[in-house]
Amino acid sequence: MNEKRMYRGIRQLTWLLMAIAMVAMALLAQEYKYVPAGVAIGALSGVLGFQKIIAMSERIDGSVTDLKLPAFSEYAKRYVLYLLVFGISAYAGVDILAMLVGFSCHKAAILLYVWMHRKEAE
């Protein structure tokens, strides 16, 4: 399976699910400013974290025997980034639940992509 195509497909599904969630959340919450922004911020944070995971995995080569410290370092940096983005957004008044819905859009996109292409993996 072509990894670049897979990453692009996951990001495209994320944007599609994000758009659907933005409309649904805006209609349900009757809030047309902070709720869609929260969904977008959450989805973009998910994609940014995904890109950081991809970049970290591409830097791993066979020469490093102990990966615990570099992996933990990247993991910690990624979660500090999440905390900063979510914290600043929440402080600015963006709905936290909407950010979590947006973040979940990316996770759902990964699961949906894997489910859609399950036959290719066999």
Side-chain angles (χ1 to χ4, degrees):
M1 175 177 279
N2 184 355
E3 290 179 357
K4 300 286 185 196
R5 193 179 97 217
M6 178 179 65
Y7 300 152
R8 186 175 45 250
I10 289 171
R11 284 191 297 270
Q12 288 172 345
L13 279 172
T14 299
W15 306 141
L16 176 66
L17 293 175
M18 179 188 75
I20 293 168
M22 286 173 75
V23 171
M25 290 284 292
L27 293 175
L28 289 173
Q30 298 290 320
E31 174 68 46
Y32 301 107
K33 185 176 180 185
Y34 292 115
V35 171
V39 173
I41 289 169
L44 292 173
S45 296
V47 170
L48 182 63
F50 184 61
Q51 287 303 119
K52 289 183 71 62
I53 292 169
I54 292 169
M56 182 190 71
S57 67
E58 288 176 349
R59 284 194 308 266
I60 295 174
D61 59 2
S63 65
V64 180
T65 57
D66 187 17
L67 292 173
K68 287 182 184 177
L69 184 61
F72 179 76
S73 172
E74 289 296 322
Y75 181 83
K77 285 190 268 186
R78 194 170 70 249
Y79 276 88
V80 166
L81 177 74
Y82 292 150
L83 285 172
L84 285 173
V85 168
F86 278 64
I88 291 170
S89 300
Y91 182 76
V94 177
D95 190 35
I96 295 171
L97 179 62
M99 287 189 282
L100 291 174
V101 167
F103 197 77
S104 298
C105 286
H106 178 66
K107 303 305 176 194
I110 293 171
L111 293 173
L112 184 60
Y113 186 88
V114 169
W115 182 77
M116 289 169 47
H117 296 279
R118 64 189 179 279
K119 297 292 183 188
E120 294 176 19
E122 294 176 355

